[in-house]
Amino acid sequence: MPQPASVAGSRLARRLNRERHSSFRWTLWTVLLALVLGPIVAGMVLIVGALTIVGGAIAMAFPAGRRRVLGWWHGSMNPVHVEVSDDPVLIGATLKGLLIITRPVRLDALAISLRCVEEVTYRRGTNTHTERYTAFESVLAERGPSDSAGEIPFEASIPHDAMHTFDGGGNKLNWFIRVTRTFAKGGVEERDLLLDVYPAELHAAITQFRAQPRNHSRSPAGLASVVIAPTPVSRPRGGQ
Amino acid sequence: VSNATIALELDHGLSDAARQLGGKVSLTRGQLLSGLVRIDAESPIKSRGVDVILRWQTSGKGTTTSHDAGSIRILQGPVPAGRSEIPFRLDVPLAPLTYMGTLLKIQWTLRVRIDRPWAIDQVEDQVVLLT
């Protein structure tokens, strides 16, 4: 089971993130990059930056590309946060969420949805391909034109027959809260924030395992085969 | 290399760990699964032992992955000639659940393996569901 991507929230228990990374690996890579690969990375950043500008300019020539580039730009300038009452959330459970809009920006439309996406990676020749399929989607909240900052509450229910989050190398099944913003100045941004879904029995076993003293030698039945994330699961703190 | 006939019988009566579901055996997460492995060998089989393994495997469009989630050695050493009936007990894992998606499938198998030195192992697989 993958490690939850979220961090402690300010209004609800957990603030969702777009990507997950191990803190140890992140630190190791940062140190390595800083000490050994610094000059190379700086050069690559310049090249990638230049390519991004060129790519962005080319994309702007096409309507769909222009929408994406403008959406990315406006989205970066006007970030939003999503906080939820639980992460991981259990199959069949309902969670409360809050979309926090930090800066007022004029929107034509805003939608919050819950999505479950299958993602597979495979090699064909020397190329690596990734394909995605949306196995489940449910719209949680929608808004028309608006221009105010603030908070939008929503609720999400994980279906009883849903599949949990799964990460098996080239095969993944991820749950997301997607925030789609259509900006009045042009552009659409789709922001996917990772949400982890666990089976209830597994979550209970992990909680029990973490509560045990460190020198306990045997994990609960059935847990031996499951890779347990090193960081604690969500712990409600303040907020609602 | 002599072969044996392997039969796997799951205990439906003693616990709730295994039950029939649409023609397949469905395992209950976190339960203790019990059963019997029956091996019929015409002559003794040189082996390191016999294992019962619960494993999941992904299939579909992506690169396949498999993992032995639980295993137990039920017989140490060579398999004797004649019929051997060996009971076993194994913890049923909690995840991942059986999943039949569009791009991705996760399937569980209960495998009996005769672990042969310097030869291809003989295996008998039974597809099971983890629900």
Side-chain angles (χ1 to χ4, degrees):
Chain A
M1 299 297 292
Q3 172 183 336
S6 60
V7 295
S10 57
R11 300 279 291 112
L12 295 178
R14 307 296 295 175
R15 173 172 291 189
L16 300 183
N17 270 324
R18 300 171 91 161
E19 292 172 0
R20 59 177 106 241
H21 58 78
S22 129
S23 55
F24 171 75
R25 199 182 300 172
W26 184 250
T27 310
L28 188 69
W29 272 112
T30 309
V31 170
L32 272 176
L33 287 176
L35 292 177
V36 184
L37 304 173
I40 301 168
V41 170
M44 285 173 68
V45 165
L46 281 174
I47 294 168
V48 170
L51 287 174
T52 306
I53 291 167
V54 173
I58 293 168
M60 289 290 278
F62 301 95
R66 188 160 55 238
R67 276 160 54 91
R68 291 282 164 193
V69 172
L70 287 174
W72 168 79
W73 175 254
H74 291 309
S76 303
M77 293 294 105
N78 305 281
V80 289
H81 303 296
V82 171
E83 294 194 357
V84 292
S85 55
D86 301 285
D87 182 33
V89 62
L90 306 183
I91 293 174
T94 299
L95 84 158
K96 287 179 179 171
L98 204 59
L99 174 71
I100 302 168
I101 304 167
T102 50
R103 280 188 196 175
V105 60
R106 187 173 284 270
L107 296 176
D108 282 343
L110 182 145
I112 305 166
S113 54
L114 173 68
R115 306 174 79 232
C116 173
V117 178
E118 295 173 15
E119 181 183 305
V120 294
T121 306
Y122 56 94
R123 288 181 73 86
R124 188 169 289 162
T126 53
N127 297 328
T128 303
H129 299 265
T130 299
E131 279 189 43
R132 292 181 185 86
Y133 172 78
T134 304
F136 174 85
E137 184 156 24
S138 164
V139 176
L140 307 173
E142 277 182 306
R143 273 207 177 170
S146 67
D147 60 357
S148 58
E151 298 174 347
I152 301 173
F154 62 87
E155 265 194 7
S157 294
I158 310 296
H160 287 276
D161 58 350
M163 177 59 180
H164 56 79
T165 302
F166 173 77
D167 188 346
N171 301 275
K172 291 178 185 171
L173 191 133
N174 282 318
W175 285 83
F176 297 100
I177 297 286
R178 171 174 275 190
V179 180
T180 308
R181 289 186 290 171
T182 308
F183 295 95
K185 290 178 181 173
V188 176
E189 189 214 26
E190 288 174 337
R191 187 173 286 236
D192 284 332
L193 299 150
L194 280 162
L195 176 73
D196 281 310
V197 174
Y198 282 14
E201 296 84 353
L202 178 64
H203 188 252
I206 292 174
T207 309
Q208 182 194 339
F209 180 70
R210 289 208 171 105
Q212 287 170 353
R214 287 280 175 194
N215 59 0
H216 201 280
S217 59
R218 175 149 162 68
S219 60
L223 196 57
S225 65
V226 179
V227 179
I228 305 165
T231 53
V233 289
S234 65
R235 225 171 257 145
R237 205 195 73 142
Q240 291 174 350
Chain B
V1 178
S2 57
N3 272 327
T5 308
I6 304 172
L8 183 62
E9 198 175 291
L10 293 178
D11 205 338
H12 300 275
L14 281 180
S15 72
D16 293 332
R19 61 198 158 89
Q20 287 288 337
L21 194 72
K24 281 188 179 169
V25 175
S26 172
L27 305 182
T28 308
R29 289 167 274 162
Q31 296 280 322
L32 193 62
L33 175 70
S34 58
L36 191 73
V37 172
R38 193 172 289 122
I39 302 173
D40 287 303
E42 285 181 4
S43 55
I45 299 172
K46 194 177 173 187
S47 78
R48 294 190 190 97
V50 178
D51 301 315
V52 176
I53 304 162
L54 251 176
R55 68 199 303 264
W56 58 260
Q57 182 170 1
T58 61
S59 59
K61 243 182 157 176
T63 308
T64 58
T65 316
S66 65
H67 178 68
D68 291 350
S71 69
I72 186 166
R73 177 144 288 190
I74 57 171
L75 179 73
Q76 196 76 41
V79 178
R83 172 168 285 196
S84 305
E85 290 189 339
I86 315 156
F88 69 90
R89 285 187 162 200
L90 198 59
D91 281 334
V92 178
L94 296 170
L97 305 184
T98 298
Y99 178 72
M100 303 304 275
T102 303
L103 299 177
L104 162 67
K105 292 171 177 55
I106 303 168
Q107 283 179 307
W108 280 88
T109 308
L110 189 59
R111 168 172 287 183
V112 179
R113 179 183 66 186
I114 300 178
D115 183 4
R116 290 174 162 168
W118 302 101
I120 296 170
D121 294 341
Q122 187 180 348
V123 296
E124 180 69 27
D125 284 343
Q126 182 174 342
V127 175
V128 292
L129 305 172
L130 190 71
T131 52

